[in-house]
Amino acid sequence: MDYFPAPQRPAMSDPITLNVGGKLYTTSLATLTSFPDSMLGAMFSGKMPTKRDSQGNCFIDRDGKVFRYILNFLRTSHLDLPEDFQEMGLLRREADFYQVQPLIEALQEKEVELSKAEKNAMLNITLNQRVQTVHFTVREAPQIYSLSSSSMEVFNANIFSTSCLFLKLLGSKLFYCSNGNLSSITSHLQDPNHLTLDWVANVEGLPEEEYTKQNLKRLWVVPANKQINSFQVFVEEVLKIALSDGFCIDSSHPHAVDFMNNKIIRLIRYR
């Protein structure tokens, strides 16, 4: 690792090029040391070693995409984010790494502001269910296999909410089981306000490896570690999560028959 030795340190206004996770940024020493107590302040004041890439640029092995917002904060002491910014969690972790305390405080204020803006919200879920036949082989002896088939229930839930934060909350509770592993449904968000879930119930007699072979995902709720094998259980679990987040059932929509038949769920939040 290389340091900036005192005789070779660039002037405060001289340009410095940084390689942050493969993205190049050019700034000045004055900007990088504008918050002396931060990690960047320590790195570029010579108190900490600084790595360099093959081109001689200072190298930081962190996320390069969100570093632009950190660098802009160093320049202006103001947090500027686009209206549709969706990586607040990542930016918060990066700010924690660089230990720019005023930026950490600004992010906390921004999250409170976003939370207040989402107080009034709507949640709409449309449910569909069908029966599908699945064919699979069963090993009866070392060299003997037989073809079998069984009917399975396939579930689809189309979820829309005006609250992005609620969908993230939902994603922290619901997980797909695929290839023997649990993965959060948040990775399947089509956009910040829309989520489509597709899963199957357990199929009687279907070997575990067949779920993987046929790309059949099952749905689990945590921390209860309960598998969701019916729409009734799905609705119960979603209602628990939604009600705990301040939602209530919209008495005017949908029609009571649709709600009782688990076809449409509409909830609203006023607070």
Side-chain angles (χ1 to χ4, degrees):
M1 299 183 194
D2 296 329
Y3 292 84
F4 279 134
Q8 299 180 6
R9 280 189 71 202
M12 296 296 283
S13 60
D14 286 348
I16 297 175
T17 299
L18 278 67
N19 177 345
V20 184
K23 289 186 72 68
L24 298 181
Y25 292 91
T26 299
T27 185
S28 68
L29 189 61
T31 295
L32 293 170
T33 57
S34 56
F35 295 96
D37 294 334
S38 69
M39 183 176 289
L40 288 168
M43 289 172 64
F44 292 96
S45 63
K47 297 177 183 177
M48 290 179 62
T50 305
K51 289 183 179 180
R52 296 183 182 274
D53 64 14
S54 59
Q55 304 300 314
N57 302 316
C58 298
F59 176 73
I60 304 176
D61 190 15
R62 299 296 296 186
D63 188 275
K65 183 179 177 181
V66 300
F67 186 75
R68 60 175 293 195
Y69 304 109
I70 294 170
L71 185 56
N72 283 338
F73 188 87
L74 298 180
R75 289 167 172 155
T76 66
S77 296
H78 189 271
L79 178 62
D80 292 300
L81 298 175
E83 290 185 6
D84 59 347
F85 186 69
Q86 298 299 321
E87 297 184 289
M88 189 68 73
L90 174 59
L91 181 55
R92 185 173 61 248
R93 287 191 294 273
E94 294 302 293
D96 285 336
F97 172 79
Y98 293 112
Q99 280 300 294
V100 182
Q101 192 58 39
L103 174 58
I104 294 172
E105 294 170 2
L107 284 168
Q108 291 172 343
E109 293 176 3
K110 185 68 174 179
E111 289 183 318
V112 170
E113 177 187 325
L114 291 173
S115 178
K116 289 180 178 179
E118 287 198 326
K119 283 184 176 180
N120 296 335
M122 182 269 289
L123 170 65
N124 194 84
I125 305 176
T126 304
L127 305 173
N128 291 289
Q129 180 179 357
R130 71 180 191 278
V131 176
Q132 179 177 315
T133 301
V134 58
H135 303 282
F136 54 95
T137 55
V138 178
R139 186 176 183 179
E140 298 181 345
Q143 300 297 326
I144 301 175
Y145 294 84
S146 63
L147 183 63
S148 184
S149 62
S150 182
S151 296
M152 68 175 180
E153 291 180 288
V154 181
F155 304 102
N156 170 269
N158 233 313
I159 305 172
F160 173 81
S161 178
T162 56
S163 170
C164 304
L165 295 179
F166 174 75
L167 287 188
K168 291 181 180 178
L169 173 63
L170 200 62
S172 70
K173 307 289 186 181
L174 298 179
F175 286 73
Y176 276 135
C177 178
S178 181
N179 298 323
N181 300 310
L182 293 180
S183 62
S184 171
I185 62 171
T186 51
S187 60
H188 299 269
L189 276 169
Q190 296 175 334
D191 61 52
N193 301 101
H194 186 212
L195 174 67
T196 298
L197 298 179
D198 294 283
W199 76 97
V200 301
N202 271 343
V203 181
E204 184 176 355
L206 184 66
E208 185 64 29
E209 61 270 15
E210 287 293 329
Y211 288 95
T212 301
K213 288 181 182 178
Q214 303 199 32
N215 195 30
L216 303 174
K217 296 190 293 288
R218 288 162 289 180
L219 193 63
W220 287 72
V221 60
V222 297
N225 289 328
K226 180 195 298 184
Q227 185 174 344
I228 298 177
N229 275 319
S230 69
F231 267 148
Q232 180 178 349
V233 174
F234 177 77
V235 171
E236 289 173 356
E237 295 300 329
V238 171
L239 283 177
K240 286 179 189 176
I241 299 168
L243 294 175
S244 70
D245 199 44
F247 283 90
C248 61
I249 296 172
D250 186 348
S251 59
S252 62
H253 183 85
H255 191 279
V257 173
D258 284 334
F259 189 90
M260 294 306 296
N261 288 337
N262 293 336
K263 291 180 181 178
I264 300 174
I265 302 171
R266 182 182 173 94
L267 297 102
I268 51 177
R269 182 176 69 196
Y270 299 116
R271 63 182 186 189

